[in-house]
Amino acid sequence: MTDASTGATADRIAALEHRVAEVEDRLALLQIVAAYGPAVDSGSAEVTAAMWTADGVYDTFPAALAGQAAIGDMVTGEMHQGLIGSGAAHLLGIPHIELNGDSAVVTNYSQLVLREPDSDGYRIWRTGVNRWEFTRTAEGWRVVRRINRQLDGTAEGRDLLAEAIDPAGSDR
């Protein structure tokens, strides 16, 4: 082999390693977002809280929960326990993922489906959009901030969606 072909092979291997690492990162982020619904719907406060960094924030209007303890307390709180005790499902849509080294932004839809009392049916209680901001830690990817806004006709939710597909805002 010549030095040129050895260099080309090394470049191809390096490019392949980079692509595999990116796929692994995307899969890890997808797994965290996919685990959120089962974690909160099973009442697993510790699992839910561990998705965030120690000082992570869950901004779900009108409240902003700061830190893992506050996020865990949300899951064990009276309102959330009432929802899951009556039959609830947090459904999260396929996310849009933007990687940037050791940080990432994930945007997805979510719906909260509730069991109708005295019925065999369910209803969609709310539909929202989520912007998850992640950082890579020694323990893996963790949520630094999650912003959840309802798609209720106001601009705030639509703006989060638009930012995911057009960060420069050229169409807005």
Side-chain angles (χ1 to χ4, degrees), residues 24-36 47-53 55-57 92-93 95-108 130-137 139-147:
E24 289 174 338
D25 286 341
R26 289 178 182 278
L27 182 58
L29 293 164
L30 178 62
Q31 286 294 92
I32 294 167
V33 172
Y36 178 81
V47 172
T48 304
M51 294 175 180
W52 271 259
T53 59
D55 59 350
V57 173
L92 287 93
H96 177 271
I97 301 172
E98 287 292 327
L99 288 170
N100 186 15
D102 290 336
S103 64
V105 174
V106 175
T107 305
N108 71 314
N130 304 275
R131 175 186 168 95
W132 306 73
E133 298 169 5
F134 286 90
T135 190
R136 186 190 318 268
T137 71
E139 296 80 33
W141 288 100
R142 295 291 183 267
V143 182
V144 174
R145 181 178 187 87
R146 176 184 173 196
I147 302 169

Side-chain angles (χ1 to χ4, degrees), residues 27-164:
L27 182 58
L29 293 164
L30 178 62
Q31 286 294 92
I32 294 167
V33 172
Y36 178 81
V40 295
D41 291 338
S42 66
S44 300
E46 288 182 27
V47 172
T48 304
M51 294 175 180
W52 271 259
T53 59
D55 59 350
V57 173
Y58 180 16
D59 179 352
T60 179
F61 183 81
L65 308 171
Q68 290 176 331
I71 294 163
D73 288 348
M74 172 201 64
V75 176
T76 59
E78 185 178 332
M79 180 180 170
H80 185 78
Q81 289 296 308
L83 291 173
I84 64 176
S86 299
H90 288 77
L91 307 176
L92 287 93
I94 297 171
H96 177 271
I97 301 172
E98 287 292 327
L99 288 170
N100 186 15
D102 290 336
S103 64
V105 174
V106 175
T107 305
N108 71 314
Y109 290 102
S110 62
Q111 289 188 321
L112 180 52
V113 178
L114 299 177
R115 186 174 165 274
E116 285 287 333
D118 304 320
S119 141
D120 290 333
Y122 291 80
R123 67 180 171 90
I124 297 171
W125 185 39
R126 62 183 186 205
T127 299
V129 60
N130 304 275
R131 175 186 168 95
W132 306 73
E133 298 169 5
F134 286 90
T135 190
R136 186 190 318 268
T137 71
E139 296 80 33
W141 288 100
R142 295 291 183 267
V143 182
V144 174
R145 181 178 187 87
R146 176 184 173 196
I147 302 169
N148 173 278
R149 293 295 182 265
Q150 297 313 300
L151 292 170
D152 56 6
T154 58
E156 207 169 1
R158 289 191 316 270
D159 288 347
L160 288 176
L161 291 170
E163 190 175 332

